[in-house]
Amino acid sequence: MVIAAANPIRPGGAEPRASAAAAELSGRMRSSLLPLGPPVSRDRIIASFPKWYTPDACLQLKEHFHGQVHAACQRRSTGTVGLSLSKVVVVGDLYVGKTSLIHRFCKNVFDCNYKATIGVDFEIERFEIAGIPYSLQIWDTAGQEKFKCIASAYYRGAQAIITAFDLTDVQTLEHTRQWLEDALRENEPGSCFIFLVGTKKDLLSRAACEQAEVEAVHLAKEMQAEYWSVSAKTGENVKAFFSRVAALAFEQSVLQHLERRSGSQPQVGDGDLIHMEGSPSENQESKRPSGPGCC
Ligand SMILES: Nc1nc2c(ncn2[C@@H]2O[C@H](COP(=O)(O)OP(=O)(O)OP(=O)(O)O)[C@@H](O)[C@H]2O)c(=O)[nH]1
Ligand SMILES: [Mg+2]
């Protein structure tokens, strides 16, 4: 049985957090100028490029958005990037904590009871990155062998593949090669960002964690993956990790859009705003067609 819950898009996914009311309000005001419905919550707003976990195994060692991406975001000329969903697929052995990781990020909950995922499930998380709305569709797959053929049908079209293993169980790390190979087989070579994520960090002492990370970082380099250690139980590194996934995927989507556009004549309705010299972006936003039927 395939479970693919048609989850509605929640504003910001997790419960709203009201740590700084004024900043929240200003974030909401900015977000509400953007086209994709309700505002995202403050902790889904990414203004600067999120940092890697370790420079020893990271996909990009840089601290800022690509210059062209930054300029395109400022001009609001990112095409349909703000309207599309980027697919992220999470794979790995049963019981490593894939569902827990996703639920911690999307719902801010943790359940210590194990409920095996049957087939697949997904969550949609909305962000605002460099002022542009952006959404990730995060696919949770079953680690149990008997559901593997169902889950693998959903690997196609992934922009990011997250291979998860349990930091306390070295066998699950060894199996990540196979999970990655299976997921990559369904995708175009070189088209996916790859992440290797060690889960259940809270169960290890600092020294034990560092020891486990040596092997994991080594494997991540081999896989050309970015490495992260996280805990769904405490929430450690969970938000930082998904922010990094979102920013990398977003930047790639914008760059692809710019590349496509430079190779073709501008099309009517390619999603870009008309840039009016000297006008603030808010004014440009107010000229954006507001809904179906508007020309
Ligand atoms: N201590 C601790 N336990 C965790 C953590 N993450 C998950 N668990 C526990 O590990 C068990 C398995 O977690 P799941 O998230 O269901 O694992 P899964 O990878 O989705 O498993 P399948 O759906 O069968 O593939 C559950 O009992 C969780 O409570 C964590 O960060 N710390
Ligand atoms: Mg699961």
Side-chain angles (χ1 to χ4, degrees), residues 170-184:
V170 71
Q171 275 209 331
T172 63
L173 174 65
E174 287 160 14
H175 297 161
T176 55
R177 275 180 218 269
Q178 189 59 51
W179 284 107
L180 179 63
E181 201 180 307
D182 293 348
L184 286 176

Side-chain angles (χ1 to χ4, degrees), residues 147-169:
F147 300 125
K148 211 171 170 181
C149 62
I150 298 171
S152 62
Y154 293 86
Y155 293 166
R156 192 173 298 251
Q159 202 174 346
I161 297 169
I162 298 170
T163 47
F165 72 97
D166 183 338
L167 279 162
T168 68
D169 180 351

Side-chain angles (χ1 to χ4, degrees), residues 92-102 110-118 140-144 147 164 166 179 199-203 230-235 238:
D93 280 2
L94 77 157
Y95 204 75
V96 298
K98 300 177 295 298
T99 302
S100 303
L101 174 63
I102 295 167
F110 176 75
D111 185 353
C112 58
N113 300 307
Y114 173 52
K115 291 186 205 82
T117 302
I118 299 168
D140 182 15
T141 65
Q144 284 191 35
F147 300 125
D166 183 338
W179 284 107
T199 61
K200 310 189 186 179
K201 190 173 189 290
D202 58 284
L203 294 179
V230 301
S231 167
K233 185 172 182 180
T234 64
V238 172

Side-chain angles (χ1 to χ4, degrees), residues 216-239:
V217 164
H218 183 76
L219 184 58
K221 281 190 200 161
E222 236 179 70
M223 290 173 159
Q224 299 187 321
E226 176 158 308
Y227 181 75
W228 283 76
S229 291
V230 301
S231 167
K233 185 172 182 180
T234 64
E236 187 179 356
N237 296 335
V238 172
K239 188 192 153 215

Side-chain angles (χ1 to χ4, degrees), residues 20-21 34 38 43 49 53 70 106 109-110 120 122 149 152 155 159 195 213 226 237 276 291:
L34 297 164
D43 66 355
F49 208 84
Y53 177 72
H70 179 71
C106 299
V109 296
F110 176 75
V120 292
F122 72 85
C149 62
S152 62
Y155 293 166
Q159 202 174 346
F195 295 87
E213 284 181 347
E226 176 158 308
N237 296 335
M276 297 176 70

